[in-house]
């Protein structure tokens, strides 16, 4: 029997990049500090992830007054060969706030 000190570290199914993209897809006008709080990441980490997602064409950022507004790129595909041919939009729809798959 494993003691608590011998347990393997916790892991999650979604990467931080996926978690940030899902959070932004739920509220395109969200502040990055709020994304950081919801994803339990630092604001600096979230800024880097958003820069990655923007550089690779998964989202675009525009100014809306004093705030940023984000738009998820239509038709964006998963990068890994195991998910080749599948759009990111399917994952975002599955994890949307009103998805019937989410039971809280």
């Amino acid at each position: 029997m494993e003691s608590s000190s011998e347990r393997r570290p916790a892991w999650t199914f979604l990467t931080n990049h996926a978690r940030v993209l899902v959070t932004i897809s739920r509220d395109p006008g969200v502040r990055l500090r709020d994304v950081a709080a919801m994803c339990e990441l630092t604001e600096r980490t979230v800024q880097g992830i958003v820069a990655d997602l923007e550089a690779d064409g998964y989202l675009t950022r525009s100014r809306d007054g004093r705030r940023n507004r984000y738009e998820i790129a239509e038709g964006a595909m998963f990068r890994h060969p195991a998910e080749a041919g599948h759009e990111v939009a399917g994952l975002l729809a599955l994890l949307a706030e009103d998805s019937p798959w989410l039971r809280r």
Side-chain angles (χ1 to χ4, degrees), residues 4-89:
S4 60
S5 62
E6 295 176 45
R7 286 191 192 134
R8 293 176 36 193
W11 60 274
T12 63
F13 279 102
L14 297 178
T15 66
N16 288 337
H17 282 66
R19 196 169 289 114
V20 167
L21 192 61
V22 167
T23 303
I24 289 172
S25 74
R26 290 175 176 168
D27 178 5
V30 68
R31 296 178 308 171
L32 293 188
R33 81 173 49 154
D34 296 330
V35 174
M38 287 183 255
C39 295
E40 298 182 359
L41 299 168
T42 66
E43 192 170 345
R44 185 177 181 113
T45 297
V46 170
Q47 289 170 345
I49 289 170
V50 167
D52 289 345
L53 293 170
E54 192 172 16
D56 288 337
Y58 286 93
L59 61 81
T60 56
R61 176 179 19 186
S62 60
R63 295 297 288 177
D64 185 13
R66 294 178 46 197
R67 306 218 15 212
N68 287 323
R69 183 154 195 83
Y70 301 92
E71 184 175 340
I72 308 298
E74 286 189 38
M77 305 297 276
F78 283 103
R79 293 170 41 137
H80 195 279
E83 293 89 34
H86 294 282
E87 290 187 13
V88 173

Side-chain angles (χ1 to χ4, degrees), residues 22-23 26 38 94-104:
V22 167
T23 303
R26 290 175 176 168
M38 287 183 255
L94 178 68
L95 297 175
E97 287 291 333
D98 58 352
S99 172
W101 296 101
L102 292 180
R103 303 283 185 243
R104 292 184 183 196

